[in-house]
Amino acid sequence: MGSILQVAKLTKRFGGLTAVHDLDFEVREGEILGMIGPNGAGKTTTFNVVAGTYAADSGEVRFAGEPILGLPPHRIAARGVMRTFQHNRPFAGMPVIDNVLVGAHTRFAAGLWSLVLGTGRSDEAQKRERAEELVRFVGLGELRAADVTTLSFGQGRLLEIARALAGEPRLILFDEPAAGLTPPECARLAEIIRGIAARGIAVLLIEHDMHFLLPLAQRVVVLDFGAKIADGLPHEVRANPAVMDAYLGRHASAA
């Protein structure tokens, strides 16, 4: 598999605090890469730099071979990098299907509101068909016309995923997607993420729940104090003494 995302010597500071320091890693096409580390390790900051929310102090981020540091988030999304957040962010007052369509706005030549208002007819028909397929893919087909305010927390998480997929990404950044989910919901989420990777879409996944992440990820990168301390297969990372000291601790050795 070729590399779709390359991060090299990435550094991000907030005043006197270095949140990410000299970070190198890559994500391969169609791969599920897990990123773990204790609170404050720099995981979400790394996501925010890759997605264009934060500006880096130094380093390089290349997506599909092209530099993306310094681009605004909407231009990075248009190139094929989508993300989800730790908290669901639906557009209230809109049905599920229209929330998914909003996620496709970077792909509409006619513009987002022409889509929602129905004036971009040819684009609308194609994207609505795609949105219908995505709500079925995540298991929300029967709720396609429901107002998003009626969804459970877990259903809202699935909506976030469908909306990200509507942007036709080549890479999705998942920021703690299993947080707050029940065990059956986590099992369904893992199945969906595997299905996303099977479509050739790369996944970069932050997660604290090791029981969820380690069986799912194909490789794992570990951060501590903003620096990478391990990068390898899940069983290799789990057995790494530096990782156990920094993050997994006694729970890892006892599991």
Side-chain angles (χ1 to χ4, degrees):
M1 293 184 292
S3 174
I4 188 69
L5 180 75
Q6 297 170 319
V7 175
K9 307 299 182 185
L10 185 66
T11 296
K12 173 61 182 176
R13 301 182 184 90
F14 296 98
L17 172 67
T18 300
V20 177
H21 176 64
D22 209 25
L23 178 61
D24 297 320
F25 71 92
E26 68 171 3
V27 185
R28 300 162 189 163
E29 294 179 356
E31 176 183 42
I32 303 173
L33 178 68
M35 180 174 285
I36 66 173
N39 290 332
K43 305 180 300 296
T44 298
T45 298
T46 299
F47 266 37
N48 285 330
V49 172
V50 170
T53 306
Y54 293 163
D57 289 285
S58 61
E60 184 177 34
V61 177
R62 301 182 73 87
F63 177 72
E66 298 293 329
I68 60 172
L69 273 186
L71 295 180
H74 71 276
R75 289 187 60 191
I76 293 175
R79 291 191 179 205
V81 180
M82 303 298 289
R83 70 170 297 177
T84 66
F85 296 86
Q86 294 179 11
H87 305 287
N88 297 338
R89 298 183 175 185
F91 290 88
M94 296 172 61
V96 166
I97 191 67
D98 284 351
N99 263 263
V100 175
L101 283 165
V102 168
H105 74 275
T106 61
R107 301 298 181 188
F108 276 88
L112 168 61
W113 293 112
S114 65
L115 164 68
V116 174
L117 296 173
T119 57
R121 299 295 181 184
S122 60
D123 273 351
E124 180 188 16
Q126 180 183 9
K127 297 303 181 182
R128 281 192 176 274
E129 182 179 350
R130 169 67 171 162
E132 295 281 1
E133 187 271 329
L134 291 174
V135 295
R136 292 193 298 270
F137 172 69
V138 300
L140 296 178
E142 295 183 357
L143 298 171
R144 60 172 304 285
D147 189 289
V148 292
T149 59
T150 67
L151 299 182
S152 68
F153 179 82
Q155 290 167 338
R157 186 58 49 84
L158 299 179
L159 172 61
E160 289 278 318
I161 295 172
R163 192 166 62 189
L165 289 170
E168 300 178 18
R170 298 179 66 185
L171 169 67
I172 298 185
L173 313 177
F174 283 102
D175 195 353
E176 297 189 35
L181 300 186
T182 65
E185 288 171 336
C186 285
R188 174 59 181 150
L189 175 62
E191 179 183 344
I192 290 170
I193 292 174
R194 289 190 182 98
I196 290 170
R199 295 180 175 208
I201 301 168
V203 172
L204 178 54
L205 171 67
I206 291 175
E207 187 53 64
H208 281 296
D209 184 347
M210 296 298 99
H211 294 290
F212 176 80
L213 183 139
L214 291 178
L216 181 61
Q218 294 158 312
R219 285 191 305 122
V220 179
V221 170
V222 188
L223 305 186
D224 191 27
F225 295 106
K228 183 174 74 172
I229 62 171
D231 182 347
L233 300 176
H235 71 274
E236 296 171 340
V237 166
R238 188 183 185 95
N240 188 313
V243 175
M244 290 190 284
D245 288 344
Y247 184 53
L248 299 178
R250 292 189 303 272
H251 296 291
S253 58

